Amino acid sequence: MQRWRGLEDIPQDWGRSVVTIGSYDGVHRGHQLIIGRAVERARELGVPAVVVTFDPHPSEVVRPGSHPPLLAPHHRRAELMAGLGVDALLILPFTSEFSKLSPADFVVKVLVDKLHARVVVEGPNFRFGHKAAGNVDFLAELGRMYDYEVDVIDLYVTGEAGAGQPFSSTLTRRLVAEGDVTGAAEILGRPHRVEGVVVRGAQRGRELGFPTANVETLPHTAIPADGVYAGWLHVEGEAMPAAISVGTNPQFDGTERTVEAYAIDRVGLDLYGLHVAVDFLAFVRGQAKFDSIEALLVAIADDVKKARELISGAGA
């Protein structure tokens, strides 16, 4: 999959294409419907499928300080989109100047002049241009002028997650924040993932016999609620069953919120400085402070036992 950052990266000889535009944070099951439809139309027409997205998140530019927690960084979204058959990903730097483009100017500058759109695939509530003034009806109206078709499909999927609410990035973020990683996984179609570099912490886990990888998460990452989880620690292509702790470590009066993963039944791992990923499979218990170190050790051993059972039950 080709990856472009900015309009100037698009090859000058780029031909017609099928395009879809959106933040696509998380590339959840609703997003997968739209992207999948774009890929399907592209294959029918014999042209590439292109996803257009933005960095930073538009809300951070329009309303500074309102950047939402992110379900997936851009490189992870790119991996997921490539898996869906996308041929090219265009990441547009979202600046104050760019945010002032009228809907018509956006269409001409991006879809017509650069991507030569043949079809544009979007959900029914798609908005674009300055102050989100453009909608799918206006997009289709311009399409009749500039020779592209607009394919509007329903991206809404529902299930048990969020008590039956339509799947969305907003709902997924809420479930992650509440610690409902099972519900989040239903929406995403996979476990919620947190990434970062392993850094040195207080090393108390090592002293207690349960050495953990202290993950310095990427900026704006959506981190689950404080507590203990079962999941996987991904290191250089290997997925290791893990018991994961999120929180401030109240047992030792900690104040900094951390994500730490203990690779179950693994010894002698040296992960410092490595970029790792942590997948959250299931919630085990909330954060707690125990009466003694001995009681903490009993709880940790029980956490590891439960995590092992949950992972085994999931077929890991």
Side-chain angles (χ1 to χ4, degrees), residues 13-301:
D13 61 351
W14 187 255
R16 303 301 297 268
S17 58
V18 174
V19 183
T20 183
I21 309 157
S23 292
Y24 289 128
D25 182 25
V27 193
H28 61 65
R29 286 169 57 191
H31 294 154
Q32 292 167 31
L33 287 177
I34 296 180
I35 295 170
R37 178 62 172 165
V39 170
E40 179 186 342
R41 293 300 307 273
R43 299 296 178 266
E44 290 171 358
L45 295 167
V47 299
V50 182
V51 173
V52 179
T53 190
F54 310 96
D55 185 38
H57 194 284
S59 67
E60 181 63 18
V61 175
V62 177
R63 297 178 301 279
S66 66
H67 199 304
L70 294 180
L71 299 169
H74 278 291
H75 70 266
R76 175 63 171 158
R77 293 182 224 176
E79 291 172 3
L80 295 166
M81 291 174 184
L84 294 171
V86 172
D87 299 294
L89 171 63
L90 169 61
I91 301 175
L92 291 175
F94 199 88
T95 62
S96 178
E97 180 182 3
F98 186 86
S99 74
K100 293 170 184 171
L101 275 182
S102 70
D105 284 345
F106 178 89
V107 165
V108 172
K109 289 179 181 293
V110 179
L111 296 178
V112 178
D113 289 350
K114 289 294 186 177
L115 295 176
H116 310 295
R118 174 68 183 82
V119 180
V120 181
V121 182
E122 295 297 343
N125 295 331
F126 174 64
R127 311 288 301 202
F128 66 101
H130 185 51
K131 295 186 176 179
N135 58 20
V136 290
D137 291 333
F138 185 64
L139 188 65
E141 181 183 328
L142 290 176
R144 289 187 285 274
M145 184 185 307
Y146 292 111
D147 187 31
Y148 65 79
E149 173 191 344
V150 175
D151 191 346
V152 180
I153 69 164
D154 188 351
L155 78 163
Y156 294 112
V157 185
T158 59
E160 295 182 7
Q165 294 180 50
F167 291 171
S168 68
S169 296
T170 300
L171 175 58
T172 311
R173 292 186 195 106
R174 194 196 85 200
L175 294 178
V176 168
E178 292 172 353
D180 185 359
V181 294
T182 303
E186 183 188 2
I187 298 173
L188 294 169
R190 62 186 184 280
H192 175 58
R193 174 172 291 188
V194 166
E195 298 186 34
V197 173
V198 177
V199 297
R200 292 190 183 277
Q203 297 189 307
R204 291 197 182 92
R206 187 174 300 277
E207 294 169 5
L208 296 171
F210 296 93
T212 59
N214 186 352
V215 183
E216 186 174 65
T217 55
L218 300 175
H220 304 297
T221 295
I223 298 174
D226 292 353
V228 176
Y229 299 83
W232 293 273
L233 174 63
H234 295 263
V235 182
E236 298 182 328
E238 181 181 1
M240 309 176 192
I244 306 150
S245 173
V246 178
T248 57
N249 204 341
Q251 191 72 35
F252 300 96
D253 300 320
T255 56
E256 182 181 353
R257 198 160 182 253
T258 61
V259 176
E260 300 179 63
Y262 167 66
I264 298 172
D265 301 328
R266 297 296 293 264
V267 295
L269 291 175
D270 183 5
L271 306 180
Y272 292 121
L274 295 181
H275 184 97
V276 302
V278 178
D279 283 353
F280 290 82
L281 171 67
F283 179 81
V284 175
R285 65 167 173 86
Q287 180 176 256
K289 184 173 183 177
F290 298 89
D291 293 336
S292 65
I293 297 300
E294 290 73 19
L296 171 64
L297 287 170
V298 170
I300 293 174

